[in-house]
Amino acid sequence: MSEPILQMQNISKHFGLTVALDHVDLTVYPGEIRGLIGENGSGKSTISSIAAGMQPATEGTMKFKGRDWAPKSMTDALEHGIGMVVQERGTIGGVSIAENIFLGNIDQFSTAGFVNRRKMNQAAKEILSLVGMENIDPALPTTVLDLQDRKLVEIAKVIARKPDIFVVDETTTALSQTGRQKIYDLMKEQKKQNKSVLFISHDLDELMEVCDTLTVLRDGNLIKSLTKEEFDEEEIKQLMVGRELKGDYYRSDYDGSYDKEVVLKIENGNFGEELKDLTLELHKGEILGVGGLSSCGMHTLGKALFGAVPLQSGRVTAGGQTITSEKTAMQHKIGYVSKDRDTEALNMDASILDNISIAGLDKIAKHGVITKKNERNLVKEQISSLSVKCREPKQAVSELSGGNKQKVVFGKWIGCDSEILILDCPTRGVDIGVKQAMYQLIYRMKKEGKSILIISEELAELIGMSDRLVIMKDGAISGEVTRSESLNESAVIGYMI
Amino acid sequence: MKLNKLAAVVLSAAMAGSLLLTGCGGSGNGGSGTEGGSKVDASDISDYGINQNVKIGVLASDLSTAEALSFRAYYEEYLGSQYDVDFIYSEQLGNAEEEISAIEQFIAQGCQGIISLSSFDRPGQIDLCESAGIYYGVAAGVLTDEEQKAYEDCEHYVGAVGPSLETEYQTGYDMAKYFIDKGDTSFLIFAGAAAFGTEMHIYRVAGMFEAMCEADASTSYNGATEKDDIITAIYGDLGVNADHFSSDTFTVSAVNGYNMDDAWFGEIAEKINTPGLQAVLAVGNGSDFFGSMAPEGVEVGSVDTYAEGYLNAMENGQLDYMAGKFSPSIAPIFVAVINAINGVPLRSDGSAFMIDQGYWIATNADEFKTFLDSSSATNPVYDKEILDQYISTPENVVSYSDFESFVSAYTFDDIQNLK
Amino acid sequence: MKKKINLKSKVVEIVSLVALAILAVTYLVMMGDRLSPYMLQTLLNQTIITAVVSTGAVFIYTTGAFDISLGSAVAVSAISGAMVYNKTESLFLMFLTMIAVGLLIELIDSALAAFLNLPVFVTTIAMLSVLSALVKIMIASGGGAKIEVPRAVVKTLDSVGLKVLILVVFIGLCIFIYNYTALGRREKFLGGNPICAKLTGISVKKLSILAFLIAGVGVGLAAFLTVVRAPTITTSTASSIGMDVIIAIVFGGMPASGGARSKISAALVGSVSMVLLSQIMVILNFSAGISQCVKSILFLAVVTLSGLKGRKAMLTR
Amino acid sequence: MKTGKSSIAKRLLGICTIPAGTILIFYIICAFRGIAFFETSNHVLIFFRSVATVTLTTFALSINLDSGRFDFSLGSIALLASVVGSTITLNYGLPPAAMLVITLIAGIVLGAFSGLLYVLLKLPALITSLGVTLLYESLVSIISGSGVSFGTQPELTQFSKGIPNMILVIVIALAFMYIVMNYTKFGFHYAALKDGQKVAVDTGIKEVGNAIGCYAIAGAMMGMVGYINATLTGTIQASLDFGSIGAMFVAFLPMFIGGFIGRFSENHFGMVLGAVTYAAIQLGFVRLGLSSEVQSLVSALVLVGFLIYLNNEHTLAALFTGKKKGGA
């Protein structure tokens, strides 16, 4: 085997008290596509971001192309050969596409301190052509692009600098199949040129298909590296979780029955391009899955059903009453778990206690007075029944892991006795162990007669959990299937594209 | 968090508790409590300010103008060095509530006397000082006649020395007369705080109008030609409304307020460039706001104070007439307060006095220079030698009439004769 | 290691209280044997108005907004009440008017922002201009430089007992609302994350209006206390309250962005601290410039220390 | 993007409507009252001086406010910079040009120091600026007592009396902001940090330096404002207890107008036109002889009205085109 291009030795990273990485060694060779996999909080994003200059390591040494490696910033790293496309949004809306492409790297167009915009735009145009966006005017503000195109701009920006190591962090979640294909092609091209790729994803199928080697991390430790021949789905899952998964992952029955009573309904709902004359019913005791591409409008549907989106026409009703606001929705015992957990579902500034009790204040108030005792009881009940791992209810919710945060969100809605739950991507960023627990919880709630609407971009979980599954495309329902043992992803994908 | 809350509760509880304990009996310990009567036994006279330290609180609504600074320099630097007295200055007071707070603070600190340079609520000040048993005097101002009547029998209200409204009126009159006598007919009146209803400014403006009415019978302000009617009209207009002025001889434009924003300076710039304008009659600081913007030939009259900056203005022709306060003018009330504290109050027929004190008028740089020198904190016109004559001692008990004639002789020349 | 950090964060939490304690001790030492019950009464008198307005304003700050027009709101409310008294000679009606006007002003302020989608800080800045112009116009309408309520009438109300009662009841009520009712808890939650609050059925508009209304009660009470203390109202009455409140609340340990770490006690702690500080400055007999300089440095120091928690890698906005 | 004829017309309309409309309205009202809007050259001077100071203040306010940094200290910077500039000039008998340069440098230093405090203390800008305001005001008082007066030296007070000077100030300030914000690395980084703080910081853009730079620019602008104000009367009055914060309030209306015009043109050019609008209102009131209370009242109402329009444009547009909103 050839000399490694990147050697990371003994890398540790601490965030205050949290140890994100604990003495990890990682080696990358030229011409390999290396996958990094692990549950949330395993440290896979952290180690790659250290290599790519986004943050410094607390401890440890790095060698890149045989030399000591300590990039000052992402721009610095990119300049010297490691370029990363980040998980979150990596473009800035208010500035032009060209400015985004050359963010932090503007000097090449400036003479005597003045930037030549024309030169910059021309250069940007060439770069855009790398990802098939040659028809876009780089002088336009980035806001004119949709999310997928913005991601492609980021990718183009990195790939244009011909990095020796191309780091892709969970980027594919934001992309459609065509977008994904583009990025896979770019990776292969990279490999062909004997350059390397570091590919981070939670999607095991994707990784097993694309990568040459896979490194599994868990709780800030490197667990094992596998070559393509060693890939085995079950083993990898076990390595990630650190124990054998016992019991059912999804639900095991194929019953698919539910009550006839309609508990929540949207009739001819319209909202821009997101919802087009959409009608959908949720029944008592039903798990209704809603799938589709990220931009198909299903996330807006979830909000609309909770009264959080003002429909242009049509209406949402529960028990015959119109839902006009989040408040009326809550009065009808509807709960909503947003897909953007940290920004929409939780108040990161506040404690676990505050976050759980906030939806149930009316329930625990006696004559309008909230007693600490009632509040604690409510919260403790949720913490223990959902087994939220925390020191105390007063602990800040921001200190919890992704899975435990999500449990707090669930606790908030279960605690206020919601009968109807709208779950938008409920297992996003949640590790497998917690995922399994959540699936079982959802199933249990169905059994208790609660109605659940799951919106997800992961077909597997929809198929695994739903009594009925509708697929959306361009703001309308494009297909509907019911629960059966024979149902598989390929049968559903056709409706999506 | 818990610690935090607990501490907060304890602290506030302690505060509230001790306050409740004091209850409403809080007339306080206040001043020295030497009861002043009209008849004094010479052996009872204390020597505060001379051999014993005395603390006097100064209420100031202004701490930053030239006048305020020169007053403060006279008290702290001159009197503070000559007598055993500590002047404790308040913060810059903005309203009646803050005046009361400041007095309470002085009382709490054991001041024996208070001198007030702040006039938001004089009755309120006297009330509080009276109930606390602390001597109170007004400097550089007086009470209204009604107020004086209502409060003159208060034992701890020493008196007031300053320009009466009548004097203010006369000051405005004299200034206008000075320019009219020169033959000027086109004026810009700066009415200052008349717009906020400040009496002394309203009276000065009224005096200016009166001088014009006298010079030409066709002149009137809002139809009024008599002093009281003119004053009422200015109150009603919230300052001077030039449209209400009519005269066959005189033309008048006006600037009100002290906004000091772009619009206000714009207004000044506009009006001072009125063709034919001959003089600016300012109820306050005329040279700073108008002097430097005045075109060649426009003269400026100002009511202000003797300070270095204005001397330059006068030398450079940006100021032509100054009715100015001299910083030692606040000495007599100090003397009176000290006497009261020492148990020999100066009472006018058993009541608090109110003595009129006017301005020094300078119309050229030489006069100005002389007056300015006499206002300094190092060599003031009212020096220790003069003041000592009016501070009672067992050997020399000062009578009210002596004091009154001393204060009334406030012109520069009169004071020279006191020595 | 763990303990150390906990200790540090505890210290940071009580910085404001430590500052208050230091100021109190300094003051007591300086006063020495001049210490008297009267002194405490003085402290109360000087603290109470800012404390009452600040306490109500904590609700506004909790939601992450701020209001710089509170001072002129107090003035308008005081003048309205005084005018009503002078017409009706009823102290009760005067009191009611003050509260009503306080509520009305804050209602307009917040309703403008809520229903017309305006940024609150801009409406309060505009409101500041409008209200101060209104103060001048109202005072002028009385035909003089001031509006007065007969001194003898309000003097009967100028008692320590009544003041303590108002202070304790209002602060108590605010603490109760803040910590023991759904309203208060929701205000806090709203300050932390408005989007999440909205998606939890909390009406952002309704809550921000309610927050301003509670502040409006404080404004009305402060107007009443102002008139009781100094029945002569001029254009400059209460003019410094607007900034005093901001300084006091922040000095008292309130995070400027509101949210979960907000606390009612910040208002009282900050107000008392500021009064003590100004008393100390007067005792030291510093010139105006020096004492303001000291004040600014102390303010920045205390606020910096109490802000040590919750720092981010990026600059705070 | 191609610009058709109709779209150019639309842009011109968007650019000109507000300032031209305001001037027109006052022209008409003045005409009715038998007054000329610009009667003497002095009116033109007043107008341009307002445009100059308001433009500078607007640039200073917006450079930080657009990035979420509220700065109360602008007025105190203007005040202190002019006190420093004039005191040094007077003490050493320097020529007038020196006063301009020193004031400007003082403004930059004071602004940068304010930014440095913000960066070091890591507090919200609003809070730091409260402390800075108190500090600067107190320094004015400590250095100058009641203020500085040099009205007696006419050569020092010439600057703000020349219309060309005012126009020059406006042009230079606009050119400076336009070039810095659109054609320099600083400007590119500023824009990136403004809209995407996290992304920009992660990419490695030095936020701290950029922020201090913004404060320094704001300081330069306010230094210039201080210089113009000081040379207007030759006096600088000290002010305490937040007396200086009023200076920034003039900038809100022009800033929002600038944002609106910025849709059709360059943002900073829009702010100048916003300042033109403001100056026209101001001169209009002076010409009509209305009191400054009325003026501040009307300005506040115009500000609120304009914001109501800006923030509810879509609703209003929907209302006029007859489109209905909301479910049944």
Side-chain angles (χ1 to χ4, degrees), chain B residues 115-184:
Chain B
I115 294 175
S116 173
L117 288 162
S118 179
S119 63
F120 292 102
D121 185 8
R122 291 243 161 87
Q125 298 172 18
I126 300 176
D127 264 350
L128 184 52
C129 291
E130 183 72 5
S131 68
I134 184 168
Y135 290 102
Y136 170 89
V138 175
V142 290
L143 275 60
T144 63
D145 289 339
E146 290 163 6
E147 286 169 351
Q148 176 69 9
K149 220 181 195 120
Y151 289 92
E152 65 185 1
D153 292 331
C154 288
E155 188 184 312
H156 292 87
Y157 169 36
V158 173
V161 175
S164 64
L165 290 177
E166 195 54 46
T167 301
E168 300 291 11
Y169 177 81
Q170 192 63 39
T171 303
Y173 178 92
D174 290 345
M175 184 195 289
K177 189 87 173 33
Y178 172 82
F179 289 106
I180 291 169
D181 288 348
K182 279 183 148 189
D184 293 351

Side-chain angles (χ1 to χ4, degrees), chain B residues 64 259 262 269-270 288 292 318, chain D residues 42-43 53 146 151 233 287 292:
Chain B
S64 68
N259 300 57
D262 282 351
E270 154 139 25
D288 279 350
S292 64
Q318 290 174 359
Chain D
N42 191 45
H43 298 142
T53 53
S146 68
T233 57
R287 294 301 291 143
S292 53

Side-chain angles (χ1 to χ4, degrees), chain D residues 43-96:
Chain D
H43 298 142
V44 183
L45 173 63
I46 292 173
F47 179 75
F48 279 107
R49 191 161 51 219
S50 293
V51 176
T53 53
V54 175
T55 297
L56 294 167
T57 313
T58 308
F59 288 163
L61 177 74
S62 65
I63 194 172
N64 279 318
L65 195 55
D66 281 348
S67 296
R69 300 187 289 253
F70 197 96
D71 188 358
F72 275 117
S73 70
L74 296 180
S76 64
I77 291 177
L79 199 61
L80 183 52
S82 62
V83 164
V84 170
S86 56
T87 308
I88 293 177
T89 308
L90 293 175
N91 285 355
Y92 297 96
L94 303 177

Side-chain angles (χ1 to χ4, degrees), chain D residues 174 254 257-259 261-262 265-275:
Chain D
L174 175 61
I257 292 178
I261 296 178
S265 163
E266 208 272 338
N267 206 6
H268 297 91
F269 180 62
M271 289 182 201
V272 175
L273 291 181

